[in-house]
Amino acid sequence: MSIEHDHTRTHRLDLEDVTLREWDCTVLWSDPTDPEAGIVLDRSAFYPGGGGQPPDHGVLLWQGVQTRIVGTRKGDDLFLLPAPGDPVPPAGTAVRGAVDDERRSTLMRTHSGLHVLVGTVFRDFGALVTGGNMEPGEARMDFNLPELPAGFKQSLEDADNAEIEADRKIVVRTLPREEALAIPDIIRTQSVVPPEYAEMRLVEIVGLDVQADGGTHVFSTSQIGRVQITKVESKGRQNRRVRVKLTS
Ligand SMILES: [Zn+2]
C-alpha cells in the first residue's frame, strides 16, 4: 500500500501504462554463469513487487528460446529472476518481454479492491491499516479496530460492493511531497510514513480514498468485480484481520 521509488537503469514501462503486456527491449546485464543473479533490461513492464503487491510473472523471448520470469531481486537495479534451469540471455541480446496477463490483471483488481476496503473501513469505522498481504484474487488486511461493531463483516462487504458498483474513477498522479502530505488523511497505514522523497505518487479513488502508492491499479472501481469478506479474525486486543477475495 505504500509508495515505492527506484533509481535503477531500467525504464519502468509499467508506471507509464499499466495495460502494457508485450514490448521490445535489450538486456543490459546478466551473468550466464550465475542465472540466479537475475537479468536487467533497458525497458521493462514487469511490476517489481512492493507496497504489498507481489511481482509480475512472464517471459522473455529471444533467438527462438524463452526465459520464464518468476520474480525479482532487489538491488541497485531491477533484477528479473529466471525460472530455474531456463536459459539466460546475455547482455546485449534483443528480447521480447511479456507479462503474464491473468496474474497481473488479477493483482490490479485485487490491489484496487484493497484500497476500496481501506477507504471504506476508514470512512465507516475510523480504523487504520496495521498490516496486510496480497495474492492474486485474495488478500488480508489488519486494522486497528479494538471494538468490533455488530454485523461488521456483512456491512463491510455490502459497503465495499456498493463502492465498486458506484464505478468510482481511480486516478494516479505525482505531486510534490509537501502538497501531497497536505491532503487530509493521506496516510491510511498506521505505521508506514512515506520516506523523504521530493515527490509522491498518489492513487486516488475519487470520492473515497487517497493513498501514497507505487502499485498498479484498474481505472475505475467497477473493474474490480464483486468482493467477498470471507473472514474477520482477532489479532490481539487492538487488531482485526479482514480476509477478502474477488468472486468475479
Ligand atoms: Zn496500495
Side-chain angles (χ1 to χ4, degrees):
M1 314 297 289
S2 64
I3 195 160
E4 189 89 358
H5 284 265
D6 64 63
H7 303 281
T8 72
R9 288 179 290 170
T10 305
H11 185 80
R12 291 275 304 277
L13 300 169
D14 53 310
L15 293 177
E16 295 170 359
D17 179 3
V18 294
T19 69
L20 186 69
R21 297 292 182 265
E22 292 186 38
W23 69 101
D24 292 311
C25 52
T26 303
V27 176
L28 289 181
W29 184 89
S30 71
D31 182 353
T33 68
D34 183 12
E36 289 175 15
I39 300 159
V40 179
L41 303 177
D42 63 342
R43 303 176 342 123
S44 169
F46 285 99
Y47 182 69
Q53 183 178 335
D56 285 337
H57 292 172
V59 69
L60 304 179
L61 302 168
W62 51 285
Q63 298 171 14
V65 298
Q66 69 167 16
T67 307
R68 290 167 295 167
I69 299 300
V70 296
T72 57
R73 176 172 73 80
K74 291 203 190 306
D76 296 338
D77 261 316
L78 167 49
F79 296 94
L80 304 177
L81 297 181
D86 278 12
V88 171
T93 307
V95 305
R96 181 135 184 99
V99 163
D100 178 336
D101 174 61
E102 188 177 344
R103 176 181 169 86
R104 157 66 90 72
S105 294
T106 304
L107 281 168
M108 285 167 62
R109 292 170 56 214
T110 308
H111 196 165
S112 297
L114 282 183
H115 283 217
V116 171
L117 178 75
V118 168
T120 307
V121 169
F122 183 76
R123 182 195 64 193
D124 295 353
F125 304 98
L128 292 169
V129 174
T130 56
N133 182 59
M134 188 190 321
E135 298 296 332
E138 58 184 6
R140 60 172 166 77
M141 293 297 290
D142 296 341
F143 295 96
N144 186 319
L145 198 61
E147 304 289 331
L148 204 59
F152 173 76
K153 182 165 168 277
Q154 191 59 50
S155 64
L156 180 57
E157 181 175 308
D158 292 346
D160 260 10
N161 282 310
E163 294 302 329
I164 288 167
E165 282 166 23
D167 200 20
R168 295 184 182 276
K169 292 270 171 289
I170 302 179
V171 179
V172 177
R173 64 187 196 277
T174 302
L175 284 184
R177 178 185 166 81
E178 290 305 310
E179 226 174 290
L181 288 175
I183 297 172
D185 306 321
I186 188 70
I187 306 304
R188 293 288 162 83
T189 51
Q190 201 174 43
S191 54
V192 179
V193 174
E196 299 294 330
Y197 286 106
E199 292 193 319
M200 288 172 66
R201 183 177 185 267
L202 302 181
V203 174
E204 176 173 16
I205 299 177
V206 176
L208 180 66
D209 183 67
V210 191
Q211 292 183 42
D213 191 272
T216 60
H217 289 268
V218 295
F219 296 101
S220 71
T221 59
S222 67
Q223 294 177 344
I224 296 165
R226 283 193 74 79
V227 300
Q228 184 185 1
I229 307 294
T230 54
K231 208 169 187 183
V232 178
E233 304 160 89
S234 287
K235 298 303 281 185
R237 257 201 320 204
Q238 298 291 319
N239 289 304
R240 297 291 181 279
R241 174 165 291 175
V242 175
R243 293 184 185 276
V244 61
K245 70 175 184 183
L246 303 179
T247 58
S248 60

